[in-house]
Amino acid sequence: MDHPLTRDTIPAAAAAPAERRRRPVGLPALAYGGDYNPEQWPEEVWEEDVRLMREAGVTMVSVGIFSWALLEPGPGRYDFGWLDRLLDLLHSAGIRVDLGTPTVVPPAWFYRAHPDALPVTREGVRLEIGSRGAICHSSPAYRQAAAAITEQIALRYADHPALALWHVHNEYGVPVGACYCDTSAEDFRRWLRERYTGLGELNAAWGTAFWGQRYGAWEEIRPPRLTPTAGNPAQQLDWARFTSDTLLDNFRRERDILHRLAPGIPVTTNFMTALSQCESLDYWAWGREVDIVANDHYLVAEAPRNHVNLAMSADLTRSVAGGRPWLLLEHSTGAVNWQPRNLPKHPGEMARNSLAHIARGSEGAMFFQWRASRYGAEKFHSAMLPHAGTDSRIWREVVALGAAIGSLGSVRDSRVVSDAAILWDWQSWWAQRLEWRPSVELDARAQADAWYAAAWDRHLTVDFAHPEADLSGYPLVLVPALYLMTGAAGANLRRYVEGGGTLAVGHFSGIVDEHDTVHPGPYPGALREVLGLTVEEFAPLPEGRTVRLDGPAGTLSAGSWSEFVVPRGAETQWSYGGGPAAGGPAITRHALGRGSAWYLSTRLDAAGLDAVLARVCADAGLPERRLPHEVEVVERIGELGRYLFAINHGAADARVPLPGAGMELLTGLLVDGELEVPAGAVRVVHL
Ligand code: GAL
């Protein structure tokens, strides 16, 4: 093929289409494949790779993510020969390509010229080359070099017939989010000047009257580097926002080049929405900027019921995609290489994982990686094609999964049906994690995990939503932990309840505004009206202490936290049976307008949370789902009908009632009224 080398030779690719493409171009089926690193292998191996990809039903591979040093061996000197041959080979086999911009690992020659593009930690240590992701994203030299290689790749491959999707960078925010160097400091000051009308406003927002931190000139402001004791929380919160924005700005620069030079090809970057995997990005903001939301998810192998965490990550990903289809770009066929003990997956677990992501909205299942590396830091990471070769359990499961995914093509573009929303805000999480909170056991992520698991156990499918989003479509909204809430978010919840919604809020929510300043008056300032109560004093419990809650519907057990709650319209449902707040309200319900708002002022154990959630669901009119406990049931709905996914995580065969008749897509059998799901199996019924 004829490769244009300069911008002038690009065809009339001028203006980007008004509505960007939302799925990989030319992909006729769900995406199935993985990261493919052919540069680690002699070219003879590529033929075998492609033959085996076809055997496994691979439809798309991600290529070139870490190839900058190979593609640009010296400044401005390019070598695209190998990538040309590779893309042509993949194209001849009908395999689509998710092509990386390799900007996550600049070549060694770049750092020789620009050592100050290496990132600096909060402790002032400059990180070194020899790994990946060592980047100061405020560095002008880095930005320029990244734009140049992106432009060259776009010019070269914009019209390649294998190209389906652009994959910018890799997992922004991991392993390096913030850089604390002087260049970043300068960039931070620029960001602040755009955000605040002047130093007066900044000093007020940061509360610099406290501990005499007032700034008299912009140049005095620095990143929140190590301080002798607790640093300014509002400064740290703005720094976290600046970090997410800076990385997003870098993404946008590359995206805009790709849009300009290859307008028909959608652009993505791989998120890590699981709260255990990336902490530094505000994915609500990022979700709006990509053409297709893509996500990587890795099980914490030793965590019990890690399939619940997988479901949560998938729901969060779908939600940052605004409910639109998204794509699982990486997960693993078996063990990863970076956990303390890298456990293999059980037989069937890989398929359950992949199909659970698809059930929750993914338009495919991709892996890290196609072929296991022989060398480098990830040589003990599993792959679709393991070191053991094709005579292996993993390979047989990979081939079977390829066939299974091949039979699910019609689910593309269908939407997940959800029952409720959980409110989540990365900015609130950042704020709550800062030093000197009333208890070290206040953990927003653990709260979100626990509430999500409680919903999962009741077979509720949930979306996540931003606290200021329109919630009117949901009968039930859960707020596990939103320490930071703007007045607008508080008003939003009040409107929601008055309009007929059912709301349940966890302790230590609605306390501060966007600058980590306590809302005026009694806690919880942003939520007093909707909850119909005030909190006079926090009363964290000593480590390990539990407290009994008494109510007409039985006793419950809670721990780590209690509060002195004063009802001001709300009615007590359970009261403290012991502890510092003994006799006072623990769980309340406020009838407001046409709806109701529940408040849980302590941290319930799983049974307690389930009992309260049962009452809350009844308020919301959500019927009890009588399904086998460890069977995950999710519905997708589209123009071609309804799809019911049933995933049996348990050790016993299960039966799931069906609302009608349909075709089971993985076995090709007709089913009517009831579905058998063997232990460990997945079934997908097209109703
Ligand atoms: C991901 C990353 C991949 C690979 C993988 C290993 O986070 O994007 O390149 O390192 O982890 O699990």
Side-chain angles (χ1 to χ4, degrees), residues 211-223:
W211 280 353
Q213 294 168 1
R214 186 183 165 276
Y215 295 100
W218 290 102
E219 294 66 35
E220 291 164 5
I221 299 174
R222 301 180 185 187

Side-chain angles (χ1 to χ4, degrees), residues 236-306:
Q236 296 187 67
L237 185 53
D238 267 350
W239 174 254
R241 292 178 176 126
F242 159 75
T243 297
S244 180
D245 282 1
T246 301
L247 298 179
L248 184 54
D249 190 45
N250 275 261
F251 166 76
R252 278 200 216 100
R253 286 162 195 265
E254 292 192 33
R255 179 202 62 192
D256 292 350
I257 293 170
L258 298 168
H259 277 173
R260 175 166 52 82
L261 298 177
I265 307 294
V267 181
T268 193
T269 183
N270 43 349
F271 294 175
M272 290 196 107
T273 60
L275 304 180
S276 56
Q277 287 168 17
C278 178
E279 301 173 353
S280 49
L281 304 188
D282 180 351
Y283 284 121
W284 289 128
W286 282 72
R288 293 192 289 269
E289 301 284 347
V290 294
D291 297 329
I292 300 173
V293 165
N295 196 48
D296 297 350
H297 181 265
Y298 290 94
L299 292 179
V300 178
E302 289 181 76
R305 304 183 81 217
N306 52 20

Side-chain angles (χ1 to χ4, degrees), residues 208-475:
T208 56
F210 177 81
W211 280 353
Q213 294 168 1
R214 186 183 165 276
Y215 295 100
W218 290 102
E219 294 66 35
E220 291 164 5
I221 299 174
R222 301 180 185 187
R225 295 176 176 137
L226 271 201
T227 45
T229 182
N232 182 312
Q235 176 195 11
Q236 296 187 67
L237 185 53
D238 267 350
W239 174 254
R241 292 178 176 126
F242 159 75
T243 297
S244 180
D245 282 1
T246 301
L247 298 179
L248 184 54
D249 190 45
N250 275 261
F251 166 76
R252 278 200 216 100
R253 286 162 195 265
E254 292 192 33
R255 179 202 62 192
D256 292 350
I257 293 170
L258 298 168
H259 277 173
R260 175 166 52 82
L261 298 177
I265 307 294
V267 181
T268 193
T269 183
N270 43 349
F271 294 175
M272 290 196 107
T273 60
L275 304 180
S276 56
Q277 287 168 17
C278 178
E279 301 173 353
S280 49
L281 304 188
D282 180 351
Y283 284 121
W284 289 128
W286 282 72
R288 293 192 289 269
E289 301 284 347
V290 294
D291 297 329
I292 300 173
V293 165
N295 196 48
D296 297 350
H297 181 265
Y298 290 94
L299 292 179
V300 178
E302 289 181 76
R305 304 183 81 217
N306 52 20
H307 52 273
V308 178
N309 177 272
L310 180 157
M312 180 170 170
S313 157
D315 287 345
L316 205 39
T317 308
R318 179 184 68 255
S319 304
V320 302
R324 283 192 301 269
W326 56 278
L327 182 58
L328 176 72
L329 218 44
E330 290 181 29
H331 69 149
S332 73
T333 59
V336 299
N337 61 297
W338 42 266
Q339 295 181 8
R341 283 162 293 272
N342 295 297
L343 313 187
K345 289 193 177 176
H346 299 290
E349 191 176 0
M350 173 185 78
R352 285 197 298 282
N353 293 165
S354 295
L355 296 169
H357 283 291
I358 292 173
R360 291 176 188 274
S362 177
E363 298 260 291
M366 309 266 295
F367 293 94
F368 178 83
Q369 56 194 328
W370 162 250
R371 186 188 275 271
S373 306
R374 285 187 53 222
Y375 51 84
E378 297 188 317
K379 56 185 165 295
F380 298 122
H381 197 291
S382 60
M384 299 174 84
L385 182 55
H387 290 300
T390 53
D391 186 12
S392 61
R393 174 174 71 85
I394 286 190
W395 176 254
R396 284 185 284 276
E397 290 196 18
V398 161
V399 173
L401 180 60
I405 288 181
S407 66
L408 296 180
S410 68
V411 307
R412 293 207 307 172
D413 269 344
S414 59
R415 297 261 184 149
V416 173
V417 182
S418 57
D419 304 296
I422 292 184
L423 301 193
W424 176 256
D425 182 10
W426 277 271
Q427 301 199 12
S428 174
W429 186 32
W430 297 336
Q432 186 174 331
R433 287 154 47 91
L434 298 171
E435 315 88 322
W436 292 6
R437 298 315 186 199
S439 166
V440 293
E441 291 186 57
L442 285 167
D443 182 340
R445 189 180 115 198
Q447 279 283 106
D449 284 350
W451 286 45
Y452 182 87
W456 196 98
D457 283 336
R458 301 192 71 76
H459 301 284
L460 297 175
T461 302
V462 301
D463 291 338
F464 286 83
H466 186 271
E468 291 176 28
D470 174 12
L471 303 168
S472 56
Y474 296 104

Side-chain angles (χ1 to χ4, degrees), residues 95-239:
I95 296 166
R96 312 292 300 154
V97 170
D98 167 35
L99 184 57
T101 66
T103 50
V104 69
V105 192
W109 57 254
F110 168 80
Y111 288 112
R112 232 174 119 194
H114 305 287
D116 56 359
L118 286 165
V120 172
T121 66
R122 192 176 182 203
E123 296 76 17
V125 177
R126 202 175 274 279
L127 300 177
E128 258 301 344
I129 62 165
S131 175
R132 72 175 184 194
I135 297 163
C136 164
H137 282 91
S138 291
S139 156
Y142 168 75
R143 289 179 179 182
Q144 211 176 7
I149 184 71
T150 299
E151 188 164 297
Q152 288 301 317
I153 290 174
L155 287 169
R156 183 113 191 151
Y157 298 111
D159 294 326
H160 196 288
L163 181 63
L165 180 63
W166 291 113
H167 179 302
V168 170
H169 202 272
N170 193 63
E171 293 178 346
Y172 278 100
V174 179
V176 178
C179 167
Y180 292 78
C181 75
D182 290 341
T183 309
S184 300
E186 187 68 48
D187 204 21
F188 184 41
R189 290 188 283 269
R190 178 204 49 79
W191 183 91
L192 291 167
R193 291 175 94 131
E194 284 171 11
R195 189 176 172 89
Y196 294 103
T197 51
L199 274 178
E201 198 195 352
L202 178 136
N203 277 306
W206 285 13
T208 56
F210 177 81
W211 280 353
Q213 294 168 1
R214 186 183 165 276
Y215 295 100
W218 290 102
E219 294 66 35
E220 291 164 5
I221 299 174
R222 301 180 185 187
R225 295 176 176 137
L226 271 201
T227 45
T229 182
N232 182 312
Q235 176 195 11
Q236 296 187 67
L237 185 53
D238 267 350
W239 174 254

